[in-house]
C-alpha cells in the first residue's frame, strides 16, 4: 500500500532551481509525484507556487523523501504544531530531534508560526516562553554542547517551515553579482570593484562587515591595505587565527613575516627567530592592546583594530606557537566567540583561509552575503558549497585582491 503526502513550494521556485531539485529528489529516492496546482509568476519580482502530491511505496520511504524535500524548502500543505520533547540531561537531546539547516526557519507553536532566532546549521531548536511584556513563545538555536536538562527541544519535522533564500530574476544593484558561483575567468578588477560596491552599500545601510583572514594575507604584502580598510571603517570585525596576528605584529616589530621581508622577499639573518621573538614580546607586554598602548606596536592590522575599537576574535589551534595572550585556546569558547560575530555580520569576507572560513561559515545563516577569495579554486568551491546562497567566489591572489579593493573603496571617498 502506497503512502502519500502533499507538499508546497513557494517563492522563486523556477529561477532558484528549487522545483527541479524537488522533482529529482522524489524520483531518485524511489517516489513519484503529481503536480496538483501550479501558478507561475510572470513578472521579475512575482513568486510562483506549486502543490505536489508525493507518493512512495511505504511510509518509511515517504518520510525520507519528505525530509529531503523539507531541506530543499518544500513544506507540508497541512501544517501541525511542532513536537516538543524535554532534554533528558545537559548536552543530550531527545531521539529524532530536528537538526537545523542554515536557512531561515519557523516552527509552529499553538497554531502560530514563530521565527527561529540565530539560525545556523546543525543545531537543535529550543522553544521557551518569551520574557517581558511581549510574552508568547520564543524559538532559538542551541549547539548540542549548550543544551540544558529540561530544554523543550523540537523533534521530528512536523510544524517546521524552511525558506531557502530567494533568487529572483532581477539581480540589479550592488549585490546582484553575488549569485554567480566560482570563476577564475571573470575580469578580476571588475569583480573586485563589485565587491567594493557591496561593502560600501552594506556600510551605508548600517550593516557590519566581518573579515576572516589567513596568514597568507600578510605574506602576500596586503597587510597595509587591510589596515587601511580597518582604519577607514570598512571592516567592523576581524576573525583570525594566532598565526595571522603573529605575522602582522612581526611585520611591525621586525619588518618580516615568518622571517621573510615581504617587500624585498629576502630572508634576513636570524629571521626565522622573529616569529617566536614577536610572541615573546607581546606576552611580555601582557597582550596586543597593551603593546599598542605602550608604543611597542605602531602599525598594522592589529594596531588599527586597537586604535579604532574594532573587535577581533583570535581562535587558537593545536598548531599554535606561544600562543599570544589574546588567543582563545578553549575551542568551545572560541567557537562561541566566532558564533557571536557571525550572527552580527551582514557581509563576510573570507580571505585566504580554508579552515577558519569553514568554522565561520558553519555559524552563518544562508542569507548572509559572503565573498570567498583564494588562489586555490578547490578552496573557494569547498567554502561556497557549505550552503550560502548569496555568495561569490574569486580565484585570485589575495595580494592582488586586497590592494585593488582598498583603492576602489578609499579613492571613492
Amino acid at each position: 500500500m502506497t503512502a502519500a503526502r502533499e507538499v508546497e513550494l513557494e517563492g522563486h521556485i523556477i529561477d532558484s532551481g528549487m522545483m527541479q531539485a524537488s522533482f529529482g529528489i522524489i524520483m531518485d529516492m524511489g517516489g513519484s509525484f503529481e503536480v496538483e496546482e501550479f501558478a507561475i509568476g510572470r513578472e521579475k519580482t512575482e513568486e510562483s507556487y506549486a502543490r505536489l502530491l508525493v507518493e512512495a511505496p511505504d511510509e518509511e520511504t515517504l518520510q525520507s523523501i519528505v525530509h529531503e524535500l523539507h531541506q530543499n524548502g518544500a513544506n507540508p500543505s497541512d501544517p501541525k504544531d511542532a513536537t516538543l520533547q524535554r532534554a533528558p540531561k545537559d548536552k543530550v537531546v531527545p531521539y529524532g530531534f530536528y537538526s537545523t539547516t542554515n536557512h531561515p526557519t519557523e516552527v509552529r507553536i499553538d497554531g502560530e508560526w514563530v521565527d527561529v532566532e540565530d539560525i545556523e546549521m546543525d543545531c537543535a531548536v529550543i522553544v521557551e516562553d518569551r520574557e517581558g511584556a511581549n510574552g508568547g513563545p520564543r524559538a532559538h538555536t542551541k549547539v548540542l554542547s549548550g543544551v540544558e536538562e529540561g530544554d523543550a527541544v523540537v523533534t521530528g519535522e512536523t510544524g517546521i517551515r524552511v525558506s531557502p533564500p530567494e533568487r529572483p530574476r532581477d539581480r540589479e544593484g550592488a549585490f546582484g553579482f553575488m549569485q554567480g558561483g566560482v570563476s577564475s575567468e571573470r575580469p578580476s578588477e571588475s569583480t573586485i570593484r563589485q565587491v567594493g560596491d557591496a561593502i560600501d552599500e552594506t556600510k551605508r545601510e548600517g550593516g557590519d562587515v566581518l573579515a576572516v583572514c589567513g596568514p597568507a594575507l600578510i605574506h602576500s604584502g596586503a597587510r597595509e591595505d587591510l589596515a587601511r580598510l580597518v582604519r577607514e571603517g570598512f571592516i567592523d570585525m576581524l576573525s583570525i587565527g594566532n598565526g595571522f596576528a603573529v605575522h602582522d605584529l612581526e611585520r611591525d616589530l621586525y619588518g618580516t613575516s615568518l622571517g621573510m621581508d615581504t617587500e624585498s622577499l629576502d630572508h634576513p639573518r636570524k629571521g626565522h627567530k622573529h616569529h617566536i621573538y614577536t610572541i615573546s614580546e607581546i606576552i611580555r607586554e601582557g597582550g596586543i592592546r597593551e603593546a599598542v598602548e605602550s608604543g611597542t606596536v605602531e602599525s598594522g592590522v592589529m594596531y588599527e583594530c586597537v586604535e579604532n575599537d574594532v573587535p577581533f576574535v583570535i581562535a587558537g589551534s593545536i598548531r599554535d606557537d606561544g600562543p599570544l595572550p589574546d588567543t582563545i585556546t578553549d575551542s568551545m569558547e572560541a567557537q562561541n566567540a566566532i558564533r557571536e560575530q557571525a550572527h552580527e555580520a551582514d557581509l563576510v569576507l573570507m580571505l585566504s583561509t580554508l579552515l577558519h572560513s569553514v568554522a565561520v561559515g558553519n555559524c552563518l545563516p544562508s542569507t548572509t552575503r559572503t565573498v570567498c577569495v583564494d588562489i586555490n579554486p578547490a578552496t573557494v568551491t569547498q567554502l561556497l558549497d557549505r550552503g550560502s546562497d548569496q555568495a561569490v567566489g574569486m580565484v585570485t591572489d589575495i595580494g592582488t585582491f586586497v590592494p585593488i579593493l582598498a583603492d576602489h573603496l578609499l579613492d571613492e571617498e
Side-chain angles (χ1 to χ4, degrees):
M1 183 176 179
T2 61
R5 188 162 306 162
E6 285 186 340
V7 298
E8 296 176 324
L9 299 169
E10 295 183 82
H12 296 283
I13 60 178
I14 301 173
D15 299 313
S16 67
M18 186 193 300
M19 174 173 277
Q20 180 180 358
S22 296
F23 291 168
I25 288 169
I26 296 168
M27 292 184 289
D28 291 345
M29 298 184 69
S32 60
F33 65 90
E34 289 185 17
V35 180
E36 296 185 322
E37 184 178 349
F38 186 27
I40 303 175
R42 301 186 183 277
E43 302 293 333
K44 286 184 177 181
T45 57
E46 192 175 346
E47 297 183 347
S48 300
Y49 170 84
R51 187 175 74 251
L52 311 180
L53 178 66
V54 182
E55 295 183 315
D58 53 68
E59 185 64 30
E60 184 178 353
T61 302
L62 179 64
Q63 288 288 352
S64 298
I65 293 172
V66 170
H67 170 80
E68 291 301 321
L69 289 174
H70 187 263
Q71 304 292 89
N72 192 54
N75 296 293
S77 58
D78 56 342
K80 300 180 176 65
D81 280 356
T83 302
L84 304 179
Q85 293 186 36
R86 297 289 176 180
K89 56 184 179 179
D90 289 354
K91 302 182 182 181
V92 178
V93 290
Y95 288 110
F97 79 99
Y98 176 73
S99 178
T100 56
T101 69
N102 61 350
H103 298 314
T105 302
E106 300 166 276
V107 293
R108 190 178 174 90
I109 307 294
D110 296 330
E112 300 291 334
W113 288 106
V114 178
D115 289 331
V116 177
E117 301 171 13
D118 299 329
I119 192 67
E120 62 178 275
M121 66 175 68
D122 302 329
C123 290
V125 177
I126 310 299
V127 176
E128 58 190 20
D129 291 329
R130 190 181 301 276
E131 297 180 0
N134 292 331
R138 171 183 178 241
H140 60 98
T141 58
K142 273 190 178 182
V143 295
L144 295 190
S145 62
V147 172
E148 300 174 271
E149 181 179 352
D151 279 346
V153 182
V154 174
T155 59
E157 290 171 359
T158 302
I160 303 165
R161 188 161 64 188
V162 176
S163 303
E166 300 287 6
R167 294 182 182 178
R169 297 173 207 138
D170 186 1
R171 297 182 179 181
E172 297 177 0
F175 298 103
F177 77 104
M178 296 190 73
Q179 297 172 354
V182 183
S183 176
S184 56
E185 303 295 329
R186 297 181 187 138
S188 291
E189 289 196 31
S190 173
T191 306
I192 295 170
R193 285 196 295 271
Q194 289 176 309
V195 172
D197 291 341
I199 293 172
D200 189 49
E201 184 169 320
T202 299
K203 296 303 302 173
R204 284 190 281 107
E205 292 178 350
D208 291 326
V209 177
L210 167 64
V212 185
C213 306
L217 191 149
I218 306 298
H219 297 324
S220 67
R223 169 183 180 262
E224 281 67 31
D225 290 291
L226 185 64
R228 288 167 62 202
L229 292 175
V230 174
R231 181 169 62 247
E232 298 301 327
F234 288 103
I235 303 296
D236 301 284
M237 298 173 283
L238 195 67
S239 185
I240 54 176
N242 188 71
F244 176 95
V246 173
H247 300 337
D248 173 71
L249 296 163
E250 177 191 337
R251 183 73 178 87
D252 176 79
L253 295 176
Y254 296 99
T256 58
S257 173
L258 204 60
M260 182 189 74
D261 188 312
T262 56
E263 293 183 2
S264 68
L265 304 184
D266 291 334
H267 288 77
R269 187 170 177 270
K270 297 185 179 180
H272 63 284
K273 298 183 178 183
H274 292 171
H275 176 80
I276 201 68
Y277 284 174
T278 297
I279 295 172
S280 176
E281 288 303 309
I282 302 303
I283 292 174
R284 192 189 319 278
E285 292 282 345
I288 295 172
R289 177 172 293 279
E290 291 82 355
V292 171
E293 291 175 348
S294 70
T296 299
V297 173
E298 298 179 325
S299 69
V301 179
M302 305 313 299
Y303 171 86
E304 295 296 347
C305 284
V306 172
E307 288 290 286
N308 295 280
D309 294 321
V310 172
F312 54 84
V313 170
I314 308 178
S317 79
I318 198 68
R319 306 181 306 277
D320 289 338
D321 295 322
L324 295 169
D326 305 83
T327 299
I328 303 173
T329 55
D330 183 302
S331 61
M332 296 309 301
E333 183 184 345
Q335 187 181 112
N336 288 332
I338 287 173
R339 178 171 289 110
E340 185 175 339
Q341 283 189 324
H343 289 171
E344 292 178 4
D346 298 287
L347 175 63
V348 179
L349 301 175
M350 297 180 172
L351 307 177
S352 284
T353 171
L354 172 60
L355 297 179
H356 208 94
S357 294
V358 167
V360 174
N362 285 347
C363 302
L364 291 175
S366 63
T367 51
T368 302
R369 296 170 177 118
T370 306
V371 178
C372 307
V373 183
D374 201 284
I375 197 67
N376 184 351
T379 295
V380 179
T381 300
Q382 183 172 341
L383 291 173
L384 294 192
D385 282 349
R386 297 195 70 79
S388 177
D389 286 84
Q390 300 193 48
V392 64
M394 284 194 66
V395 180
T396 189
D397 175 28
I398 197 67
T400 299
F401 176 86
V402 175
I404 294 176
L405 179 67
D407 287 344
H408 175 67
L409 284 169
L410 299 175
D411 287 349
E412 286 193 345
E413 290 194 312

